[in-house]
Amino acid sequence: MAPINDQEQGAGFFTSFASTLSSFGNAMSKSVNGLLGYQGLEIINPDGGTEDTEVEAQKGRWKPEDRDSYWRMMQNYIGSDVTSMVTLPVLIFEPMTMLQKMAELMEYSYLLDLADECEDPHMRLVYAAAWFVSLYFALQRTWKPFNPILGETYEMVNHGGITFIAEQVSHHPPMSAAHAENEHFVYDITSKLKTKFLGNSIDIYPVGRTRLTLKRAGVVLDLVPPPSKANNIIFGRTWVDSPGDMILTNLTTGDKVVLYFQPCGWFGAGRYEVDGYIYNATEEPKYLMTGKWNEFMSYQPCDAEGEPEPGSELKEVWRAADAPKNDKFQYTHFAHKINSFDTAPKKLLPSDSRLRPDRLALEHADLSKAGLEKTRLEERQRAEKRMREAKGDEFKAKWFDLTNEIASTPWGELEVYRYNGEYGHHREAVDNSDSIRETETNSIEFNPWKYHNLPNAQT
């Protein structure tokens, strides 16, 4: 078997099939040529061919008048990174922030507990890889999360013995940092999304640095996820695809996971499918993995050629939990838990995402109030920036420190933030204090601000 190559990280015999699917995928898109003023916009129906794209173009969550207004604004940004360049209407948002989305990965954290307890170093990677794949289940949810305010935080407890803290550490460019820990693992990430607006779609590049430490096993894992693409963001029903390789490397031993996320092809062929191998440090495959990122992942021991070992069976390692029926935002039970105060610790930080008034209004289906509150928060953030510049101050994150480390990613370099441990001391002091009274969470005002009584919070 040929050794794996970081420039061509296909997963064995699955690669040729994926190439075929990709050629079909090119044929399933079609430009909007029948709608005056929208010529050249690409409509992609993941469930069909090209004959129904004019019908597909009229579908989606946009009202025609809102869609037209949005397109007139957005057409000037084609080819640009629009991560924080434009103000978007709340009708495309979900009542959750990006910090909360980062916590959503913790739903299946039991897989990391199993990985840490596992004696087989390659089976350990099966569990860890399945855990990272599980996050993609949430990509079926095509609503946009709120961009966090600078200094905003999100805390989570009461799940799998985990303490989770995330903080928005930069506004331009938007960057978040998170730390999660229980008795089995430590998870740290610095995340900076990079985008490219293409008209009716947007490419999303996950510029980030992820480190996962398994405590008992004493190994450190590094993740490079595939890019994603949100299709039909103006015309048609929005859907997300993440074609490409997910690379999970054991930095301690050199073992590696290469999983190939198949592109969606003609009539949905290959959509959601994930295939690949667990390799040892000498690039010999030890386990094959296969499944669908929206349903399940399975594994099987394999020989040096990547073929299943005789007498072995394909076994399931992860399956997505049942989700509530007809949920407006396609939330899982765990996503609802993240948004609730059931996972909030004692004496919640006032900068917590749960307390955002725009998020709360949207959660209660009050789009008008959500829009007004979103605008108010954005204006206040701009006023804070002006005050910070006038004073010559520099923003400093509270729970994470900026390091001198620069991480290289396939999509650019990244400044790395490191958890400074202060949140652990804060939480320990709060949890051990008998003098702190319980406060009704709905009475806490959202407050990530560094300055108070600003004279003018208008744009």
Side-chain angles (χ1 to χ4, degrees):
M1 178 176 177
I4 56 177
N5 186 302
D6 282 349
Q7 301 302 315
E8 298 178 358
Q9 298 150 323
F13 62 84
F14 299 108
T15 306
S16 60
F17 176 59
S19 178
T20 303
L21 287 178
S22 181
S23 65
F24 277 117
N26 293 331
M28 58 176 272
S29 64
K30 185 176 179 180
S31 295
V32 185
N33 295 316
L35 299 176
L36 187 62
Y38 302 101
Q39 291 84 354
L41 282 182
E42 189 178 53
I43 305 295
I44 302 178
N45 180 358
D47 302 317
T50 61
E51 70 284 350
D52 58 354
T53 50
E54 298 295 347
V55 175
E56 178 68 27
Q58 303 297 339
K59 298 179 180 179
R61 63 178 64 111
W62 293 88
K63 295 179 181 178
E65 60 272 19
D66 293 330
R67 179 194 67 193
D68 296 345
S69 175
Y70 180 67
W71 169 242
R72 283 193 296 272
M73 175 185 69
M74 291 300 298
Q75 60 184 330
N76 299 319
Y77 294 97
I78 291 179
S80 300
D81 184 347
V82 294
T83 307
S84 61
M85 288 178 61
V86 295
T87 299
L88 301 174
V90 293
L91 66 91
I92 67 171
F93 281 73
E94 63 175 325
M96 185 179 285
T97 74
M98 187 61 73
L99 299 181
Q100 292 172 287
K101 292 278 282 190
M102 295 172 76
E104 203 164 356
L105 181 57
M106 295 297 134
E107 177 165 7
Y108 301 98
S109 60
Y110 71 87
L111 289 167
L112 295 186
D113 298 346
L114 293 173
D116 190 46
E117 295 169 348
C118 184
E119 298 292 341
D120 180 346
H122 304 115
M123 188 64 206
R124 187 181 298 144
L125 288 180
V126 169
Y127 288 122
W131 182 69
F132 280 112
V133 170
S134 72
L135 174 65
Y136 287 83
F137 179 86
L139 287 187
Q140 298 175 99
R141 232 171 46 229
T142 56
W143 305 89
K144 184 189 181 306
F146 286 97
N147 287 341
I149 298 295
L150 185 63
E152 183 175 331
T153 59
Y154 178 76
E155 306 173 78
M156 185 181 73
V157 295
N158 302 331
H159 175 74
I162 296 169
T163 297
F164 179 96
I165 178 66
E167 183 176 9
Q168 190 72 358
V169 296
S170 172
H171 182 58
H172 287 296
M175 292 179 64
S176 309
H179 172 87
E181 185 170 358
N182 72 359
E183 63 177 319
H184 290 288
F185 69 87
V186 178
Y187 169 78
D188 289 287
I189 183 172
T190 302
S191 175
K192 179 180 73 174
L193 289 182
K194 181 180 179 181
T195 64
K196 185 176 183 180
F197 178 63
L198 301 174
N200 199 39
S201 64
I202 185 168
D203 286 341
I204 305 166
Y205 307 103
V207 181
R209 209 287 294 270
T210 298
R211 289 288 187 270
L212 174 64
T213 301
L214 299 177
K215 291 183 175 180
R216 178 177 175 273
V219 299
V220 179
L221 308 181
D222 173 81
L223 177 74
V224 178
S228 297
K229 183 173 185 177
N231 302 281
N232 300 354
I233 60 175
I234 300 176
F235 291 92
R237 296 165 295 175
T238 305
W239 62 282
V240 179
D241 204 15
S242 296
D245 292 319
M246 186 185 87
I247 312 297
L248 182 62
T249 304
N250 186 329
L251 299 177
T252 308
T253 66
D255 298 339
K256 180 178 289 188
V257 184
V258 182
L259 296 180
Y260 186 72
F261 285 56
Q262 307 280 7
C264 178
W266 204 13
F267 294 104
R271 189 179 184 190
Y272 308 119
E273 293 182 9
V274 182
D275 302 290
Y277 293 100
I278 312 296
Y279 297 92
N280 66 14
T282 60
E283 301 182 356
E284 179 185 359
K286 306 302 290 185
Y287 287 93
L288 64 85
M289 294 188 71
T290 185
K292 292 187 174 184
W293 53 259
N294 68 327
E295 291 185 33
F296 69 95
M297 287 299 294
S298 298
Y299 69 96
Q300 189 170 3
C302 64
D303 60 23
E305 300 301 319
E307 298 297 329
E309 286 189 354
S312 66
E313 295 181 351
L314 194 66
K315 295 182 179 180
E316 190 171 276
V317 64
W318 165 76
R319 178 168 290 275
D322 292 336
K325 301 295 184 183
N326 302 317
D327 190 271
K328 179 179 179 181
F329 295 103
Q330 296 94 48
Y331 277 5
T332 63
H333 292 289
F334 185 70
H336 281 291
K337 188 176 178 181
I338 284 175
N339 246 352
S340 76
F341 292 99
D342 294 340
T343 52
K346 179 181 179 182
K347 192 173 173 48
L348 184 68
L349 292 171
S351 51
D352 194 88
S353 296
R354 297 176 185 84
L355 303 172
R356 283 182 62 139
D358 51 356
R359 191 207 67 77
L360 287 165
L362 184 59
E363 189 173 35
H364 291 95
D366 190 340
L367 268 68
S368 177
K369 183 178 181 182
L372 291 172
E373 292 289 357
K374 178 174 175 289
T375 299
R376 184 178 65 83
L377 290 177
E378 290 168 347
E379 289 177 347
R380 174 61 187 264
Q381 182 164 232
R382 285 189 281 269
E384 283 249 324
K385 180 182 178 183
R386 290 193 296 269
M387 177 66 77
R388 187 163 52 249
E389 291 173 346
K391 289 177 171 289
D393 295 342
E394 289 188 10
F395 175 82
K396 188 177 186 302
K398 189 169 185 178
W399 311 115
F400 297 85
D401 293 336
L402 179 62
T403 70
N404 294 322
E405 182 179 358
I406 302 295
S408 295
T409 80
W411 308 283
E413 293 186 334
L414 174 78
E415 296 177 313
V416 175
Y417 282 78
R418 180 180 295 116
Y419 174 65
N420 59 25
E422 291 301 316
Y423 178 77
H425 299 318
H426 160 78
R427 182 52 47 206
E428 183 179 8
V430 170
D431 291 344
N432 293 335
S433 175
D434 295 328
S435 61
I436 296 176
R437 295 184 301 172
E438 293 289 339
T439 305
E440 289 292 331
T441 50
N442 57 12
S443 67
I444 302 175
E445 181 180 354
F446 179 63
N447 183 11
W449 316 115
K450 303 298 181 182
Y451 305 108
H452 303 282
N453 302 317
L454 290 176
N456 181 12
Q458 300 301 311
T459 55

